[in-house]
Amino acid sequence: MNPLHTTEGLLQFGLRDRWYPLCPSEHVRPGQLTRLDRAGEELLLWRDAAGVVHVQEDRCPHRAARLSHGVHMGDRVACNYHGVQVDAEGTVVSVPGSPGCALEGRRVLRTFPAREHGGAVFAWFGLDESAPPAPLEVPEPIAGEEWAHFLCYVEWDAPYRYSLDNLLDPMHGAFLHRNSHTMFAGKREAVFQIRATDKGFVFEKTDQRGVNFDWVELTEGGAQWVTLDIPYPDTAGPGGPFTIVAALSAISEHRHAGFFWRCRKVSGWQRDSWRFLYRNRLEARHFAVLEQDREMAEAMPADAWDRENLYQHDIALVRMRRLLRAEAAKQAARLTEPAAPAPVPVA
Amino acid sequence: MPASYENAFGDELEAVYGRGVHDLPGIVAALNASGVRPANGADWTESSFTAELARLSGTEN
């Protein structure tokens, strides 16, 4: 059975009816065919002559050869095996070896709605591929004019779920990152509460805010976003806290892509100052902190979720896993339900 | 401009910020009390400082 039709498979590769970031925009270069595995799908990415990005299945509708091994023809892609040409809508526009054959004019290449935001390419993976996508709602720190941001893109040898756990676990900041430039302060003991929001929840310390990694928000909807703040020391100059907006995409069961938009609400010369300091030195420090997370996530045992003893600090993980599992089960049921029987004609 | 200048400027800026000086007049005065100067060797002014930040931030790139 297709793993994407099972609860476990959807949990491993990512739920459907979601937008997922695929890669930084600059990874899809004009005139080139880019191959990516994301969210359980084998993808071809390319830009048309106007620069608009397209995301399609990397599979020629003729004999399943890799279109990514083909030829970029501006407004279409030609398979290198037998020359079959497919356009951005997924329609076969030419079969040079057999002109006029039935394949011509048919829309047979799976094509995923695609957008670019915040320097990344996103695609919609719908449960029902014929249904239109939900709007891609991008969080304010990425979309807002008053904010500045840099996208940090990483690929880790760990299931995306370990990275999601890490983001929903603010307490590790006070331990794993205790010697970092941003998370050295605050208490090592904390009481947390969960507060429901329209599209997810906030997990926060009850007695400390703005000192360490003290809260995190999970937003589930047309996409899954995790947002959190980390206070900056005075050396970072004027402006608000360091805000991270994160989104994750599975590459395989054991590997994922992480998108960390590093944001700050700053404008004018303060924005320029942050951008300069970020490039000149903060980026390296932030990356060193992220490397601590990577080392921890990549070294986790494969059965981490099966043998745990969770405590009060982990209620956000429990909530998140329950939400995901319930939605995955619902989607799997929809994908495997037998087709409705044809109505019996009334005599 | 060599990167060493950008590093020296970054060092001095972090040091000034680290003392809690986050206002424009205060920063300009503190930078002028330091050894770092703009390329023309003149004292910093608010406009030369903000222009330098705009250049170094890469906004125009």
mmCIF file of all heavy atoms in Angstrom, chain A residues 57-67 79 81-86 103 109:
data_model
loop_
_atom_site.group_PDB
_atom_site.id
_atom_site.type_symbol
_atom_site.label_atom_id
_atom_site.label_comp_id
_atom_site.label_asym_id
_atom_site.label_seq_id
_atom_site.Cartn_x
_atom_site.Cartn_y
_atom_site.Cartn_z
ATOM 1 N N GLU A 57 5.421 16.158 -10.661
ATOM 2 C CA GLU A 57 6.013 14.858 -10.348
ATOM 3 C C GLU A 57 7.160 14.601 -11.326
ATOM 4 O O GLU A 57 7.028 14.858 -12.524
ATOM 5 C CB GLU A 57 4.970 13.746 -10.459
ATOM 6 C CG GLU A 57 5.451 12.448 -9.837
ATOM 7 C CD GLU A 57 4.379 11.373 -9.794
ATOM 8 O OE1 GLU A 57 3.384 11.457 -10.540
ATOM 9 O OE2 GLU A 57 4.556 10.438 -9.007
ATOM 10 N N ASP A 58 8.271 14.102 -10.789
ATOM 11 C CA ASP A 58 9.439 13.870 -11.645
ATOM 12 C C ASP A 58 9.299 12.512 -12.321
ATOM 13 O O ASP A 58 10.012 11.550 -12.006
ATOM 14 C CB ASP A 58 10.722 13.942 -10.803
ATOM 15 C CG ASP A 58 11.963 13.844 -11.679
ATOM 16 O OD1 ASP A 58 11.849 14.107 -12.898
ATOM 17 O OD2 ASP A 58 13.032 13.494 -11.151
ATOM 18 N N ARG A 59 8.385 12.449 -13.276
ATOM 19 C CA ARG A 59 8.027 11.150 -13.843
ATOM 20 C C ARG A 59 7.339 11.395 -15.185
ATOM 21 O O ARG A 59 6.239 11.945 -15.235
ATOM 22 C CB ARG A 59 7.046 10.485 -12.865
ATOM 23 C CG ARG A 59 6.621 9.110 -13.205
ATOM 24 C CD ARG A 59 5.573 8.662 -12.177
ATOM 25 N NE ARG A 59 5.083 7.355 -12.509
ATOM 26 C CZ ARG A 59 5.530 6.216 -11.960
ATOM 27 N NH1 ARG A 59 6.427 6.244 -11.021
ATOM 28 N NH2 ARG A 59 5.041 5.062 -12.341
ATOM 29 N N CYS A 60 7.986 11.008 -16.239
ATOM 30 C CA CYS A 60 7.378 11.216 -17.552
ATOM 31 C C CYS A 60 6.085 10.400 -17.645
ATOM 32 O O CYS A 60 6.063 9.217 -17.300
ATOM 33 C CB CYS A 60 8.344 10.787 -18.666
ATOM 34 S SG CYS A 60 7.600 10.998 -20.309
ATOM 35 N N PRO A 61 5.001 11.020 -18.098
ATOM 36 C CA PRO A 61 3.729 10.285 -18.178
ATOM 37 C C PRO A 61 3.762 9.148 -19.193
ATOM 38 O O PRO A 61 2.878 8.296 -19.193
ATOM 39 C CB PRO A 61 2.717 11.360 -18.583
ATOM 40 C CG PRO A 61 3.492 12.546 -19.002
ATOM 41 C CD PRO A 61 4.880 12.432 -18.466
ATOM 42 N N HIS A 62 4.802 9.110 -20.035
ATOM 43 C CA HIS A 62 4.917 8.030 -21.025
ATOM 44 C C HIS A 62 5.444 6.757 -20.375
ATOM 45 O O HIS A 62 4.712 5.804 -20.145
ATOM 46 C CB HIS A 62 5.822 8.509 -22.176
ATOM 47 C CG HIS A 62 6.232 7.445 -23.142
ATOM 48 N ND1 HIS A 62 7.507 7.366 -23.661
ATOM 49 C CD2 HIS A 62 5.537 6.413 -23.683
ATOM 50 C CE1 HIS A 62 7.579 6.340 -24.481
ATOM 51 N NE2 HIS A 62 6.402 5.737 -24.519
ATOM 52 N N ARG A 63 6.711 6.729 -19.974
ATOM 53 C CA ARG A 63 7.317 5.512 -19.428
ATOM 54 C C ARG A 63 7.960 5.729 -18.067
ATOM 55 O O ARG A 63 8.751 4.910 -17.616
ATOM 56 C CB ARG A 63 8.346 4.956 -20.407
ATOM 57 C CG ARG A 63 7.765 4.367 -21.705
ATOM 58 C CD ARG A 63 7.570 2.850 -21.595
ATOM 59 N NE ARG A 63 8.783 2.213 -21.101
ATOM 60 C CZ ARG A 63 9.877 1.973 -21.844
ATOM 61 N NH1 ARG A 63 9.885 2.294 -23.121
ATOM 62 N NH2 ARG A 63 10.930 1.409 -21.322
ATOM 63 N N ALA A 64 7.624 6.857 -17.440
ATOM 64 C CA ALA A 64 8.073 7.137 -16.066
ATOM 65 C C ALA A 64 9.559 7.484 -15.961
ATOM 66 O O ALA A 64 10.112 7.474 -14.858
ATOM 67 C CB ALA A 64 7.725 5.996 -15.112
ATOM 68 N N ALA A 65 10.192 7.792 -17.079
ATOM 69 C CA ALA A 65 11.584 8.252 -16.985
ATOM 70 C C ALA A 65 11.617 9.580 -16.222
ATOM 71 O O ALA A 65 10.607 10.282 -16.123
ATOM 72 C CB ALA A 65 12.168 8.437 -18.380
ATOM 73 N N ARG A 66 12.782 9.900 -15.704
ATOM 74 C CA ARG A 66 12.902 11.132 -14.920
ATOM 75 C C ARG A 66 12.882 12.355 -15.830
ATOM 76 O O ARG A 66 13.795 12.549 -16.650
ATOM 77 C CB ARG A 66 14.204 11.117 -14.125
ATOM 78 C CG ARG A 66 14.254 10.042 -13.047
ATOM 79 C CD ARG A 66 13.173 10.242 -12.016
ATOM 80 N NE ARG A 66 13.240 9.224 -10.968
ATOM 81 C CZ ARG A 66 12.251 8.970 -10.112
ATOM 82 N NH1 ARG A 66 11.115 9.651 -10.186
ATOM 83 N NH2 ARG A 66 12.389 8.056 -9.192
ATOM 84 N N LEU A 67 11.877 13.176 -15.644
ATOM 85 C CA LEU A 67 11.838 14.424 -16.418
ATOM 86 C C LEU A 67 12.996 15.337 -16.027
ATOM 87 O O LEU A 67 13.435 16.171 -16.814
ATOM 88 C CB LEU A 67 10.502 15.139 -16.185
ATOM 89 C CG LEU A 67 9.281 14.486 -16.830
ATOM 90 C CD1 LEU A 67 8.008 15.206 -16.410
ATOM 91 C CD2 LEU A 67 9.409 14.493 -18.361
ATOM 92 N N CYS A 79 11.046 15.224 -22.112
ATOM 93 C CA CYS A 79 11.703 14.032 -21.577
ATOM 94 C C CYS A 79 12.849 13.666 -22.519
ATOM 95 O O CYS A 79 12.710 13.723 -23.745
ATOM 96 C CB CYS A 79 10.704 12.890 -21.464
ATOM 97 S SG CYS A 79 11.446 11.382 -20.821
ATOM 98 N N TYR A 81 14.097 10.746 -22.879
ATOM 99 C CA TYR A 81 14.045 9.339 -23.289
ATOM 100 C C TYR A 81 13.399 9.199 -24.668
ATOM 101 O O TYR A 81 13.968 8.586 -25.576
ATOM 102 C CB TYR A 81 13.264 8.567 -22.224
ATOM 103 C CG TYR A 81 13.570 7.094 -22.106
ATOM 104 C CD1 TYR A 81 14.648 6.496 -22.751
ATOM 105 C CD2 TYR A 81 12.768 6.289 -21.293
ATOM 106 C CE1 TYR A 81 14.913 5.160 -22.608
ATOM 107 C CE2 TYR A 81 13.027 4.942 -21.143
ATOM 108 C CZ TYR A 81 14.100 4.372 -21.809
ATOM 109 O OH TYR A 81 14.359 3.032 -21.662
ATOM 110 N N HIS A 82 12.169 9.797 -24.831
ATOM 111 C CA HIS A 82 11.489 9.711 -26.124
ATOM 112 C C HIS A 82 10.970 11.059 -26.606
ATOM 113 O O HIS A 82 10.143 11.121 -27.509
ATOM 114 C CB HIS A 82 10.315 8.721 -26.061
ATOM 115 C CG HIS A 82 10.728 7.324 -25.689
ATOM 116 N ND1 HIS A 82 10.724 6.870 -24.385
ATOM 117 C CD2 HIS A 82 11.179 6.295 -26.449
ATOM 118 C CE1 HIS A 82 11.144 5.633 -24.350
ATOM 119 N NE2 HIS A 82 11.433 5.241 -25.593
ATOM 120 N N GLY A 83 11.423 12.128 -25.916
ATOM 121 C CA GLY A 83 11.096 13.466 -26.401
ATOM 122 C C GLY A 83 9.716 13.983 -26.070
ATOM 123 O O GLY A 83 9.330 15.062 -26.527
ATOM 124 N N VAL A 84 8.967 13.256 -25.247
ATOM 125 C CA VAL A 84 7.611 13.713 -24.885
ATOM 126 C C VAL A 84 7.696 15.069 -24.175
ATOM 127 O O VAL A 84 8.511 15.246 -23.273
ATOM 128 C CB VAL A 84 6.915 12.667 -23.982
ATOM 129 C CG1 VAL A 84 5.596 13.190 -23.430
ATOM 130 C CG2 VAL A 84 6.704 11.379 -24.762
ATOM 131 N N GLN A 85 6.860 16.001 -24.618
ATOM 132 C CA GLN A 85 6.899 17.352 -24.058
ATOM 133 C C GLN A 85 5.657 17.612 -23.209
ATOM 134 O O GLN A 85 4.539 17.377 -23.654
ATOM 135 C CB GLN A 85 6.982 18.391 -25.181
ATOM 136 C CG GLN A 85 8.273 18.274 -25.997
ATOM 137 C CD GLN A 85 8.322 19.267 -27.140
ATOM 138 O OE1 GLN A 85 7.516 20.207 -27.198
ATOM 139 N NE2 GLN A 85 9.274 19.085 -28.046
ATOM 140 N N VAL A 86 5.904 18.136 -21.993
ATOM 141 C CA VAL A 86 4.818 18.404 -21.057
ATOM 142 C C VAL A 86 4.909 19.854 -20.616
ATOM 143 O O VAL A 86 6.008 20.364 -20.350
ATOM 144 C CB VAL A 86 4.918 17.485 -19.818
ATOM 145 C CG1 VAL A 86 3.630 17.551 -19.010
ATOM 146 C CG2 VAL A 86 5.212 16.052 -20.224
ATOM 147 N N LEU A 103 -1.999 10.415 -26.367
ATOM 148 C CA LEU A 103 -1.396 11.072 -25.189
ATOM 149 C C LEU A 103 -1.368 12.589 -25.363
ATOM 150 O O LEU A 103 -1.452 13.339 -24.397
ATOM 151 C CB LEU A 103 0.020 10.512 -24.984
ATOM 152 C CG LEU A 103 0.740 10.807 -23.673
ATOM 153 C CD1 LEU A 103 -0.114 10.413 -22.459
ATOM 154 C CD2 LEU A 103 2.074 10.075 -23.632
ATOM 155 N N LEU A 109 0.344 14.768 -16.204
ATOM 156 C CA LEU A 109 1.471 14.870 -15.271
ATOM 157 C C LEU A 109 0.986 15.525 -13.983
ATOM 158 O O LEU A 109 0.415 16.622 -14.020
ATOM 159 C CB LEU A 109 2.605 15.714 -15.885
ATOM 160 C CG LEU A 109 3.816 15.918 -14.975
ATOM 161 C CD1 LEU A 109 4.527 14.598 -14.688
ATOM 162 C CD2 LEU A 109 4.788 16.927 -15.594
#
